Amino acid sequence: MKGLQIPRNHELTLQRRLSSLIGHLVEINAPNTGLEPGRLQRVFPKNFIKVNGELFVPQSLNSIRVFDVKPPGKTTVVGVRTTFLTRGAFNQIRLVRIGSDFIELLAKDKNRSRILLPLNKVEGIFPVK
C-alpha cells in the first residue's frame, strides 16, 4: 500500500504473541457466542490456548482482546475490514503490527488493551485520511 507504513514482523505468529501474554486478562470473541473473559493460562505450541480451564483455537476466533499491555512504541492509523460484523469499530484504529498470521491493534479504550485478529478474519486494511 503506497503511503501506508505498516509495522511487519513476518516471523511472529499468533501463538508466539499469545505466549508472551500469559497471565493477562483476555476477552475471547467467537462466532455464535458471547464474550468469554478470563486469564490466559497456557498457550500450546500449535493450535490451542487455555483460558479459564477451557481450550480455544485462536485461528477460529473473531478476536482476542488482551488487557493491561504496555503502550506500543509506534502505531499507524488504519481502517480494517473483517469477516464479522463490527459496526464500524475498526474504521479508524491504530495498527501496532502485522505478524505472519495475525494483526495487532491498539483498542480505543483507557485500559491499554490490544486486539489480536487472526488474518483469516481480516478482509482488508485501508489508509485513513
Side-chain angles (χ1 to χ4, degrees):
M1 292 181 198
K2 188 175 182 179
L4 185 59
Q5 297 298 317
I6 300 175
R8 297 182 186 120
N9 185 340
H10 298 296
E11 296 175 8
L12 185 61
T13 66
L14 180 56
Q15 291 296 106
R16 222 180 288 153
R17 178 64 177 128
L18 288 166
S19 291
S20 71
L21 299 166
I22 290 175
H24 285 261
L25 180 63
V26 298
E27 185 178 79
I28 302 294
N29 179 0
N32 304 315
T33 64
L35 299 176
E36 298 275 342
R39 294 274 168 206
L40 180 57
Q41 298 170 296
R42 185 171 175 197
V43 177
F44 294 84
K46 294 195 179 201
N47 298 322
F48 294 99
I49 60 173
K50 187 175 184 179
V51 177
N52 284 351
E54 189 174 348
L55 296 178
F56 293 92
V57 178
Q59 291 297 334
S60 72
L61 304 173
N62 287 341
S63 66
I64 304 164
R65 181 178 288 224
V66 185
F67 294 91
D68 198 29
V69 181
K70 292 179 183 178
K74 188 176 180 182
T75 62
T76 303
V77 179
V78 298
V80 178
R81 288 186 196 89
T82 62
T83 60
F84 58 95
L85 184 62
T86 64
R87 292 184 176 88
F90 301 147
N91 285 349
Q92 187 169 350
I93 194 158
R94 296 195 164 274
L95 177 66
V96 176
R97 72 173 52 94
I98 297 177
S100 65
D101 59 354
F102 76 103
I103 66 171
E104 184 171 338
L105 306 170
L106 182 63
K108 301 174 188 176
D109 61 17
K110 61 182 179 193
N111 298 321
R112 298 186 324 198
S113 64
R114 303 288 178 85
I115 301 169
L116 306 176
L117 298 174
L119 276 184
N120 65 350
K121 301 298 180 176
V122 175
E123 292 178 340
I125 300 172
F126 55 93
V128 175
K129 296 179 182 180

